[in-house]
Amino acid sequence: MSKIDKVVLAYSGGLDTSVIVRWLQDTYGCEVVTFTADIGQGEEVEPARAKAEALGVKEIYIDDLREEFVRDFVFPMFRANTIYEGEYLLGTSIARPLIAKRLIEIANETGADAISHGATGKGNDQVRFELGAYALKPGIQVIAPWREWDLNSREKLMEYCEQHKIPVDFSNKKKKSPYSMDANLLHISYEGGVLEEPWAEAEEDMWRWSVSPEAAPDKPTYITLQYEKGDPVAIDGERLSPATLLEKLNKLGGANGIGRLDIVENRYVGMKSRGCYETPGGTILMKAHRAIESITLDREVAHLKDELMPRYAKLIYNGYWWSPEREMLQAAIDQSQSVVNGEVRLKLYKGSVSAVGRRSEDSLFDEKIATFEDDAGAYNQKDAEGFIKLNALRLRIAAGKGRDLI
Amino acid sequence: MSKIDKVVLAYSGGLDTSVIVRWLQDTYGCEVVTFTADIGQGEEVEPARAKAEALGVKEIYIDDLREEFVRDFVFPMFRANTIYEGEYLLGTSIARPLIAKRLIEIANETGADAISHGATGKGNDQVRFELGAYALKPGIQVIAPWREWDLNSREKLMEYCEQHKIPVDFSNKKKKSPYSMDANLLHISYEGGVLEEPWAEAEEDMWRWSVSPEAAPDKPTYITLQYEKGDPVAIDGERLSPATLLEKLNKLGGANGIGRLDIVENRYVGMKSRGCYETPGGTILMKAHRAIESITLDREVAHLKDELMPRYAKLIYNGYWWSPEREMLQAAIDQSQSVVNGEVRLKLYKGSVSAVGRRSEDSLFDEKIATFEDDAGAYNQKDAEGFIKLNALRLRIAAGKGRDLI
Amino acid sequence: MSKIDKVVLAYSGGLDTSVIVRWLQDTYGCEVVTFTADIGQGEEVEPARAKAEALGVKEIYIDDLREEFVRDFVFPMFRANTIYEGEYLLGTSIARPLIAKRLIEIANETGADAISHGATGKGNDQVRFELGAYALKPGIQVIAPWREWDLNSREKLMEYCEQHKIPVDFSNKKKKSPYSMDANLLHISYEGGVLEEPWAEAEEDMWRWSVSPEAAPDKPTYITLQYEKGDPVAIDGERLSPATLLEKLNKLGGANGIGRLDIVENRYVGMKSRGCYETPGGTILMKAHRAIESITLDREVAHLKDELMPRYAKLIYNGYWWSPEREMLQAAIDQSQSVVNGEVRLKLYKGSVSAVGRRSEDSLFDEKIATFEDDAGAYNQKDAEGFIKLNALRLRIAAGKGRDLI
Amino acid sequence: MSKIDKVVLAYSGGLDTSVIVRWLQDTYGCEVVTFTADIGQGEEVEPARAKAEALGVKEIYIDDLREEFVRDFVFPMFRANTIYEGEYLLGTSIARPLIAKRLIEIANETGADAISHGATGKGNDQVRFELGAYALKPGIQVIAPWREWDLNSREKLMEYCEQHKIPVDFSNKKKKSPYSMDANLLHISYEGGVLEEPWAEAEEDMWRWSVSPEAAPDKPTYITLQYEKGDPVAIDGERLSPATLLEKLNKLGGANGIGRLDIVENRYVGMKSRGCYETPGGTILMKAHRAIESITLDREVAHLKDELMPRYAKLIYNGYWWSPEREMLQAAIDQSQSVVNGEVRLKLYKGSVSAVGRRSEDSLFDEKIATFEDDAGAYNQKDAEGFIKLNALRLRIAAGKGRDLI
């Protein structure tokens, strides 16, 4: 065990990370700096201050990172129509690099030599926190208590609290969810409990951010989303900051039963894992961004983006936001977005979101050419013959030489 | 104009292709063989016989290709979770290579030296028909009347009918849809008319295969789909042939408002085009196949499939089903599917389909390792440290040499 | 035939394009503007002026584009280590977009409504010229005489000259090469003649820019190439402009028998074609750029570049330099090059070029970690165990469930 | 430390692995089974028997794996034109999965519960051995002495020998190379020593398998290589087994100074490393395989292979030969090779190998179409106009809407 003087801990104010504060103090004899961020998880962060103080913490950071989160992480990611394994909108993954960055900034400000977090040794989050930390400050030390200690059950944690006189909020304890949850402005996730059986349907009362499609209104809601350079900037004509806009979409989506997802995904550390997610606003954004791109992006640019996307999604899922390869891909993605401006009209209804209209000053849709009616010579149908003949040439030569395709 | 003695025409029995029969006879002085296929478009094909006879056609082919269509084209495509431009399930694209193949087979049987079709010179279908034809019989000639004649309006077509005494079914004429439509067992598509304005919402009475989500039942429908080697083989325990299975899924999906899509897509011939699609069964299959793969496929195989998919989708969209590169990709895709066996439970509700359970004898989901509970040593959390440290090494070295990521 | 008033012709001053001048004047009754560029083909361009004047041309453009060619086309392409089909350094392909751009600029300056070129209807160059022209000026008309006229043999061309009193340089005619050649600062190419038989070895006297390896000096030549941001800027410490640097490398490479290539390639228009190329400087640059990247680029960035390269090469080969997808890829490639600085030492010897040393202020090579000697704790070998164990986890789970790999 | 009864060791008979035998016996109190393979490293393997016996080993395996190595590993890899990071022919990487497979087979035969190897904790080989082992037998234990012990210098190893009375061959010790070397039928590699300075040129007396280009004959050697289904089967008409063929190519290449390589590569464990390689036969095979593919493969298949190759190379380099994703890629690669038949004529001269001729019954090269002479109507040049026009359509529309590319 290397000598550690001061450690910055990603601190939620909950039971687990409170235990970690004391455990770090005891085990490493070091000072603990707590860092609590509001990234839209929907809980007050200010109460963490008193709890940290009660644990003897002297340097306490409490930051509202909601705008930075959406502007610098969520929106850039959505420019790529990013989906992991065809389904997952990366709600947890995309928050981690921001936390990692802030942990390192605070370590630099406070002269800490280590960071710590409350992620387990089986999950992706430890990887995302630590890869980010190492990439931004290579000499930093990382303490991952869940990989070190033996407090690997709720009972042992409670016992530790009692022994070390850590005040536990028992009311909170009672209503403890059976699920492991994580929330931020983009989504809330559920793992564990009955979900560990992939055949079992998630129970209705698990979901927290959205009504069920069944309980959603019987009439559709229509909204218009305005885009500038690939990012949404206004809802129904009202300009909103990134975080405010996403918050509003979450409400609209949640009220219409939109954004629930139940999947089995492949973790970077090697196992499959069942997760349920609610991403109401993100689900709307995904549909809307594709729709505005559909009229403004060149075909080959769109296809190139589609081919690069799975790899970009994998980078983010695996924790490589802070990497040169992500920045290289981002350069390509961002380069494509200057023309992605305009409006998308969307229908939200009982769990579905559909794009029903799209328009743009930068539209490449050319009604004169696309029309089934007379196009007044805008397109010469005879060109198609040569186009087909030369595209077929290699196939004709091969067939002529006796190559069989059937 | 090269000398043509006999031409095989893809004949629907409708006005346009009936005009083509006569136009081919007159323009090329050649014999016309008609070929009419039931690929699940939902209309009787037998009436085409009498119409063809009335036009003097002597060799008339009427085939039921529904099983072959689903078994050899739709299912192989769905093994790759194929989606074009993030949205389109390729309902039209995947039917064309089957028609092309059958046209060539009939040309071989009847000794015809040409094929003909009723696709316009602006669309993708001409490309798909003709690339397929050239790839399968390189010396074949292709006559595409819409690229040659000047009958480019409904009025001129009707006039031609009158001059050439082609009997027109006027009752049919009256209820003529304002949309250009195409249907087969996988989907029905709509283009043209008011859809040529991408901002205009499609009208409710356009849709033919599905009720609106609003009109769908207030209670969800649950079904269980069984897979073998990547293909669905049974619904709720009842084994069904490919076409029967897809037909049943279409009914189930349509009744629950599932599978409507409204997009602007990029055609191979270079323009953007607005299309609306109903793909009820296909939308269910897409969700189900991903779900069964999620527990049976290795992670890296799944990711490789995701990276190859856009290119495979583009091949099919562009008309290269009959090509060596499609066969090469298919070999990889099919190789991955031997383990894709098991069951998926799905919830259909008012326009949405969700996977709510999945199980398999070939599942790679390992509850012992994935659990949040004590795993009895199945996974050593300490391994994660080395995993992260070495994955971070290149980033740490770069940061240590002063490379900035922010 | 649409009405054309003025056409800008890519004019070499040779027989073919001289005939084209007259043919354009006669066939279209239009004014011809000639454009002759020095892109390092190794022939005087000034004589083209008198020839054009003799043909009655009033607007004559003669430009030295060598620096622009190397700086804005060749060097950006080499940043991606671009090779088509594993072999071809794209010497012809990369010159065409510059010519297309200049043709359009001149069309804009002179008010011309068309451009014309002397490329045949079977090759890639027509595609490259015309795609570039259409992309830069969509309303431009293109006249490709070789696709229109019937002067498809040398005899007919000579006859045309005689009829139209075009002065022919007979001395030039006599030493007419049996090959179709194209040259610029990056390479010289040979096609046709005996090369049309892919089994026949190219004759020694065909090659013009390099001595044979056999005839090269018996002692190696060593040079040091200095890079800044991915581009070479100096040879043996002497800073040189892009064109001067490439010219010098051509001399050094040619004198050492470097850069000959004999391949069968796949043309965009669909056929296979045999080509021989001499690219002395480019062959050296390819080796050197990889070497400087090998110590300065991050691993994953390097691998991403390698995976994108074939598609980037294909874009350029097919004529899509002036396209949004090329610009998107270029943004990613260029983003990666800011750290590609330093020096490469190369050995040139009888047809081979080897990198024998590389060094850089931006090197990521870390001798402390890489060493086989004691590394004083820079690298913890125990980390490797966890790294391997978790990377193996999915494989172990699969094997444990009975999946066979053999 | 888990209880181990019997361990199979990859045993070379040299100093290091002899120490490992004793160390395993002492440290784990277990029985050691030695496995020594002839994979063409050019040293006698039989002497390993006496050495193992002297160390008290009872179960001794000595196998000639040369044919299996070339047939089932080297040739399948070359079907993909596999190169890592643009330069490295993967000579070491491709031998490891065979060793891993054989270790596991022997563990199964002898009832061993562990395997062991002499690879260090910094390199790729440990990863390749262990990933293979885990993939083939998930419950196997792995002992990697170099990651466990503290014998991390030559002096400590010698001391250990003395203490444990391990007979050391001192004559061997004296001529100890300053390089870390590895050899098999595909290549010999050098690392360490002066190579740890990437600016230093490798010394001439380091190279063992090839003469220097300077010392090679002054006259070129011509050979003809015959291919069947993507694999070479004969040299100059003489059919040879895989190992015999590669051995002969090594001699031919080595005698002509072919196949030397000096690079800095990126290891999977995260650092950069300088390596020198001699791959005489492999370098010839790479050139020859591309040449035979150039006339027999369809263009799009060839391009797809080129785009998949870097990822396939990375898989092999990183140690994932025994993985489902490698098998999926192999299925695609192998599917493409049935037509790769024919002959390639090659010129070997002072360090260079050039393809000078290629012919095949399966050639797609069509002299009638490719010719610069009159093609008698095989190709209609007018088709090119439509081909270009439609390929340009999206670019023309974009330019017409004011999109700028410059």
Side-chain angles (χ1 to χ4, degrees), chain A residues 179 194-195 200-207 262 274 276, chain B residues 356:
Chain A
Y179 306 104
V194 296
L195 298 178
E201 185 171 0
E203 291 161 347
E204 179 54 35
D205 66 2
M206 176 191 76
W207 306 98
D262 172 350
R274 166 84 169 282
C276 288
Chain B
V356 298

Side-chain angles (χ1 to χ4, degrees), chain A residues 85 272 297 303 327 405, chain B residues 85 272 297 303 327 405:
Chain A
E85 298 188 340
K272 289 182 181 291
L297 272 198
H303 293 184
E327 298 199 331
L405 286 167
Chain B
E85 298 188 339
K272 290 182 181 290
L297 272 198
H303 293 184
E327 298 199 332
L405 286 167

Side-chain angles (χ1 to χ4, degrees), chain C residues 272 297 303 325 327 405, chain D residues 85 272 297 327 394 405:
Chain C
K272 289 183 182 291
L297 272 197
H303 293 184
E325 66 271 24
E327 297 198 333
L405 286 167
Chain D
E85 299 189 338
K272 289 182 182 290
L297 272 198
E327 298 198 332
R394 65 184 172 94
L405 286 168

Side-chain angles (χ1 to χ4, degrees), chain A residues 111-163:
Chain A
D113 38 17
I115 60 153
S116 183
H117 60 75
T120 82
K122 280 187 174 181
N124 296 304
D125 287 334
Q126 57 175 341
V127 190
R128 295 166 187 152
F129 284 134
E130 299 177 27
L131 287 180
Y134 288 133
L136 297 175
K137 191 176 170 73
I140 196 74
Q141 297 199 62
V142 174
I143 307 174
W146 286 98
R147 296 202 304 254
E148 293 192 20
W149 70 24
D150 58 353
L151 307 179
N152 44 16
S153 72
R154 189 153 188 84
E155 290 63 39
K156 289 194 184 162
L157 279 177
M158 298 303 297
E159 205 178 306
Y160 188 93
C161 288
E162 212 162 313
Q163 286 168 0

Side-chain angles (χ1 to χ4, degrees), chain A residues 345-395:
Chain A
R345 196 158 162 262
L346 299 148
K347 177 187 175 187
L348 318 179
Y349 180 70
K350 283 194 179 281
S352 301
V353 50
S354 328
V356 298
R358 62 295 279 166
R359 66 182 172 193
S360 169
E361 304 266 311
D362 289 288
S363 175
L364 296 174
F365 184 91
D366 190 321
E367 54 296 325
K368 291 192 314 295
I369 287 180
T371 186
F372 275 81
E373 314 297 317
D374 190 341
D375 67 5
Y379 176 97
N380 185 351
Q381 302 213 14
K382 294 216 172 15
D383 288 338
E385 186 184 333
F387 178 75
I388 296 168
K389 280 267 183 70
L390 289 207
N391 277 315
L393 183 55
R394 64 183 172 95
L395 304 170

Side-chain angles (χ1 to χ4, degrees), chain C residues 85 121-122 196 201 222 267 272 297 300 303 314 325 327 350 369 371-372 381 394 405, chain D residues 85 121-122 196 201 222 272 297 299-300 303 314 325 327 350 369 371-372 381 394 405:
Chain C
E85 298 188 341
K122 280 187 173 180
E196 291 188 0
E201 184 171 1
Y222 282 88
R267 286 196 191 146
K272 289 183 182 291
L297 272 197
E300 295 302 311
H303 293 184
K314 189 173 183 168
E325 66 271 24
E327 297 198 333
K350 281 192 180 283
I369 287 181
T371 185
F372 276 81
Q381 302 213 16
R394 64 183 173 94
L405 286 167
Chain D
E85 299 189 338
K122 282 187 173 181
E196 292 189 359
E201 184 171 1
Y222 282 88
K272 289 182 182 290
L297 272 198
R299 179 185 72 200
E300 295 302 311
H303 293 184
K314 187 172 185 170
E325 66 271 25
E327 298 198 332
K350 283 194 178 281
I369 287 180
T371 186
F372 276 80
Q381 301 213 15
R394 65 184 172 94
L405 286 168

Side-chain angles (χ1 to χ4, degrees), chain D residues 332-344:
Chain D
I333 294 160
D334 290 355
Q335 198 274 350
S336 72
Q337 298 292 297
S338 63
V339 296
V340 182
N341 307 304
E343 288 181 317
V344 179

